[in-house]
Amino acid sequence: MADRRTAADAFSADETASGKPCALLWDESFLWGVMARRALLEAGLSFDLVRAQEVRRGDLARYRLLFVPGGWASSKRAALGDKGCGEIRRFVEAGGNYLGICGGAGLATRDEIALLPVGRKPSARRVTSFSGSIRVSPVEHPIWRGVEKPVFAAWWPSQLTFEDPGVRVLASYEEAQPDAVSADVSVKDGDRRGWPILEESYGILLDPARLRGEPAVLEGMFGRGKVILSMLHFDTPGGRNGRVVLKNLWRFLAVDSPSSPAVGSLSPPGGPRAHISPDIPRILAEIRACVEGLIAAGEDRM
């Protein structure tokens, strides 16, 4: 009970101890963590990178929002351990908010740390290899303000299932855009060749029309905290709509302050992180260059 009161007191303050309202979980995020960090920097949103060990020692009490980007949910849970998962549950139950995108959404499902009574369809029953732009149908909600044409990126999304009336669908999938792909087949080419023939040949579900009507973004409560789970990658760098939604999410979940310190700092509340190498910016730049090279090579061979 003492930990819960401490966390709740932190949320009622005008600013967090670091001056930044959001903790971005870095462990087991890999490319998705690099992508999320870059998108938040582009949007001018304030955050601290936090490690699993800092979650375990209770550092989330300094923040209003935990943002967990993509990556394997099971690997994130293993990195956090039972103590770290328990700290996240206590943080949200006490009034902290949780934003999970793709793998970060998976971490919050009932098979992992169970912030919401939401499950994931088995791989054999979902379109596992879709990636690219897709239109969605959003409901009235503050996170969609300023979005005129609701087209967003989705990268190999899970498909979420739920029956609890306390979970609200904020957006459902509609039609995939022509530039999207399923496995190595473009949507335009798949429509021309026929998805049933391709699915029989590949032995997996490929037709992006199977996504239509499926939930893309969900919202619920865990204790006093808000939980938003998204299969849409609002954190795709360079995406105008995603940037608008990220800013809305910060206002809705983090109550960001315009007087917050410089964004994206690797320094925690109270002083520098001596255990994080000063080579991190150079390493991130090298990772980005490698990833962009791989993407370009893949596009040349499509």
Side-chain angles (χ1 to χ4, degrees), residues 189-256:
D189 195 34
D191 289 341
R192 178 181 61 82
R193 294 166 62 185
W195 290 108
I197 295 173
L198 290 167
E199 288 184 343
E200 183 176 357
S201 175
Y202 279 65
I204 57 174
L205 300 182
L206 292 169
D207 188 354
R210 295 178 181 276
L211 293 169
R212 189 183 292 267
E214 294 282 334
V217 185
L218 299 176
E219 178 187 44
M221 299 288 294
F222 182 75
R224 294 167 51 197
K226 299 182 184 73
V227 179
I228 290 184
L229 309 182
S230 177
M231 291 294 110
L232 304 176
H233 272 278
F234 304 128
D235 57 349
T236 299
R240 186 264 176 192
N241 281 347
R243 184 162 60 248
V244 169
V245 173
L246 283 175
K247 290 181 177 180
N248 290 337
L249 283 163
W250 251 239
R251 284 190 286 268
F252 183 65
L253 297 175
V255 194
D256 201 354

Side-chain angles (χ1 to χ4, degrees), residues 1-11 57-58 61-62 87 90-91 93-95 224:
M1 291 301 293
D3 287 345
R4 184 175 303 174
R5 285 194 296 271
T6 299
D9 290 342
F11 306 134
R57 74 187 184 201
R62 304 174 187 269
E87 287 293 332
R90 280 189 287 275
F91 166 76
E93 188 176 20
R224 294 167 51 197

Side-chain angles (χ1 to χ4, degrees), residues 31 287-302:
L31 168 63
I287 292 173
R288 174 183 170 184
C290 290
V291 170
E292 288 177 344
L294 287 171
I295 293 172
E299 289 175 343
D300 289 342
R301 288 162 175 75
M302 285 179 62

Side-chain angles (χ1 to χ4, degrees), residues 130-137 149-154 173-182 185-191 195 208-209 211-212 241 302:
F130 176 84
S131 61
S133 301
I134 188 166
R135 187 175 71 85
V136 298
S137 55
K149 184 181 180 182
V151 174
F152 298 93
Y173 292 114
E174 294 296 341
E175 75 277 3
Q177 302 301 288
D179 62 339
V181 297
S182 190
V185 182
S186 70
V187 168
K188 185 185 340 185
D189 195 34
D191 289 341
W195 290 108
L211 293 169
R212 189 183 292 267
N241 281 347
M302 285 179 62

Side-chain angles (χ1 to χ4, degrees), residues 260-285:
S260 293
V263 297
S265 169
L266 291 173
S267 296
R273 285 191 178 117
H275 64 279
I276 293 182
S277 169
D279 292 333
I280 286 291
R282 175 184 59 78
I283 294 169
L284 289 175

